[in-house]
Amino acid sequence: AFIVNHDKAAHALAFFLLTFLMHRSFKIMQIQKTMLLTISFGVAIEMIQFFFTPRGFSLEDLIYDIIGVIVYVSVYQSIKTVRLCCPHSLKKS
């Protein structure tokens, strides 16, 4: 169970970081499109595993991939809201 939990955390962290990198790399792309593209990549990975590897398709892995994407988008939106709402609170003294 310990390894399984780390595997799921690794999925979420990997997709959090992947979404961050994609969003930073394609600054012109809206966050919703970045989110859709990253989730589509997760689905594609699981489909490839289903057809070409002995590992198979894992809905649970895909769910944790999506959780990582959603957490990144939530953090991004929160930071964006704070910057718009209270820009003076982020300035260095």
Side-chain angles (χ1 to χ4, degrees), residues 43-58:
V43 171
I45 290 171
E46 291 302 322
M47 295 303 291
I48 288 168
Q49 288 181 174
F50 177 76
F51 289 110
F52 299 109
T53 70
R55 225 181 130 188
F57 181 92
S58 172

Side-chain angles (χ1 to χ4, degrees), residues 17-87:
L17 294 173
L18 180 62
T19 307
F20 167 75
L21 292 171
M22 288 182 68
H23 186 229
R24 297 296 296 168
S25 297
F26 304 109
K27 292 182 182 182
I28 195 168
M29 191 182 303
Q30 296 174 343
I31 190 69
Q32 295 86 356
K33 289 182 182 178
T34 303
M35 187 175 175
L36 181 62
L37 186 61
T38 310
I39 290 172
S40 297
F41 182 68
V43 171
I45 290 171
E46 291 302 322
M47 295 303 291
I48 288 168
Q49 288 181 174
F50 177 76
F51 289 110
F52 299 109
T53 70
R55 225 181 130 188
F57 181 92
S58 172
L59 182 59
E60 193 174 6
D61 285 352
L62 182 58
I63 289 169
Y64 279 90
D65 296 347
I66 293 169
I67 288 171
V69 173
I70 291 171
V71 169
Y72 171 76
V73 171
S74 298
V75 169
Y76 169 75
Q77 294 291 6
S78 296
I79 291 170
K80 187 176 169 184
T81 300
V82 169
R83 283 185 179 165
L84 290 173
C85 174
C86 313

